[in-house]
Amino acid sequence: MIKLTVIIPTFNEESYIEDAIKSVNFADEVIIIDSFSTDSTKEKALALGCRVLERKFDNFSEQKNYAIPYATGDWILFMDADERVTEKLRYEILEAISSNTHTGYKIRFVHFYMNRFLYHKIDTVLRLAKNENLKFTGSVHEKLEINGTVGKLKNYMLHFTYKGFFHLLKKKDSYAWFQANESIRKGKKATYFHLLFKPAYRFFHTYFIKRGFLDGIPGLALASINAYGVLSRYAKMMLIQRGLK
């Protein structure tokens, strides 16, 4: 029988972790890779029968790479504590791993913000893969590398990442430091052109090209915050370049 392991990285996710784990109760194994949470995340995960690994956080890829060798499943589903597998996605995942048509599958994510799901803010990410030579690369928006073909599932994973306006701003600012340091490490440089053009283009792309305007005020707010995130990244790069950080 084909076995499925779910890997969830966490840090202080006591408000979210239980619902995440319960949404994948069809899996044979759930592994939590925790960055030494100071709340009840670990205890709640253990109470629900999960295996909890602990590792000091350095970047998102290495956290998941650390957990992969512990997975005993034939397939691994990677998800975050603020994500939920729907009933329809559950059956599609089980059908996909049984069919063995592809080595991995991309999943579509619909984001929840300002009390509604934003169906014009859809991300498609490789999250389900056969447990064979898996590795993540990249420190922020990590990428899963696999050997083989990749399919795409039809049903959505629900993503409750946007807990509020100021929480999202703080999250974008935190990610911006990771992205800035990674870009500098790769030899990239920020200029005033990037500072002026890139944020404006991100807003235009999110709000008009991706049709964020159809999501109303939440779509406008999200496009603005995304543009701020880009501005923050290049501003931080310039600070690092000038030795001010």
Side-chain angles (χ1 to χ4, degrees):
M1 184 176 177
I2 298 174
K3 293 178 61 178
L4 174 67
T5 295
V6 176
I7 293 179
I8 308 175
T10 59
F11 177 69
N12 289 349
E13 297 285 0
E14 63 180 4
S15 299
Y16 285 82
I17 191 61
E18 288 180 302
D19 287 341
I21 295 169
K22 289 176 182 177
S23 79
V24 290
N25 59 9
F26 60 94
D28 299 280
E29 171 185 56
V30 178
I31 297 176
I32 305 297
I33 172 64
D34 188 69
S35 305
F36 294 99
S37 291
T38 56
D39 62 5
S40 61
T41 298
K42 178 180 176 180
E43 289 72 22
K44 289 185 174 183
L46 288 170
L48 288 171
C50 300
R51 180 174 187 177
V52 178
L53 308 174
E54 292 182 296
R55 180 180 184 273
K56 184 178 179 181
F57 181 85
D58 48 7
N59 63 63
F60 298 100
S61 288
E62 292 308 316
Q63 287 298 97
K64 294 177 183 178
N65 288 337
Y66 177 82
I68 289 173
Y70 290 92
T72 61
D74 304 289
W75 287 75
I76 303 178
L77 172 66
F78 298 93
M79 61 182 287
D80 293 334
D82 56 8
E83 296 168 355
R84 308 286 179 265
V85 173
T86 64
E87 198 70 13
K88 288 183 178 180
L89 181 58
R90 166 186 179 165
Y91 289 114
E92 192 176 10
I93 288 172
L94 292 175
E95 182 180 348
I97 65 177
S98 297
S99 70
N100 206 29
T101 304
H102 297 285
T103 307
Y105 289 89
K106 292 183 177 181
I107 298 177
R108 299 196 297 166
F109 289 78
V110 59
H111 302 273
F112 187 82
Y113 185 56
M114 295 177 72
N115 296 319
R116 65 185 287 185
F117 286 105
L118 308 183
Y119 285 96
H120 296 89
K121 174 64 175 76
I122 304 294
D123 295 324
T124 305
V125 188
L126 178 58
R127 288 290 195 87
L128 177 65
K130 191 176 290 188
N131 188 8
E132 297 175 352
N133 302 315
L134 298 179
K135 182 182 180 181
F136 281 90
T137 58
S139 59
V140 185
H141 296 296
E142 64 277 18
K143 180 181 179 181
L144 177 59
E145 296 183 349
I146 67 171
N147 295 317
T149 60
V150 177
K152 184 189 294 185
L153 302 184
K154 296 178 181 179
N155 292 290
Y156 295 112
M157 177 92 78
L158 305 182
H159 196 187
F160 294 88
T161 185
Y162 306 133
K163 302 177 180 68
F165 184 82
F166 292 106
H167 170 267
L168 184 52
L169 279 179
K170 184 178 179 181
K171 187 172 184 177
K172 288 290 184 181
D173 229 23
S174 176
Y175 276 15
W177 278 119
F178 280 108
Q179 292 171 319
N181 281 300
E182 181 71 5
S183 295
I184 293 295
R185 186 184 67 80
K186 292 180 178 179
K188 297 181 180 179
K189 293 185 177 181
T191 66
Y192 284 109
F193 170 80
H194 293 116
L195 208 59
L196 295 172
F197 177 76
K198 291 287 189 177
Y201 178 76
R202 176 58 61 88
F203 178 87
F204 178 81
H205 185 267
T206 303
Y207 195 64
F208 293 105
I209 303 299
K210 302 290 285 186
R211 299 187 297 171
F213 61 87
L214 294 177
D215 287 317
I217 296 300
L220 175 62
L222 192 58
S224 300
I225 294 173
N226 282 342
Y228 165 77
V230 175
L231 175 67
S232 181
R233 183 204 320 166
Y234 285 106
K236 288 170 172 52
M237 285 180 67
M238 293 184 79
L239 289 174
I240 296 171
Q241 288 169 192
R242 298 180 182 188
L244 298 176
K245 172 59 180 177

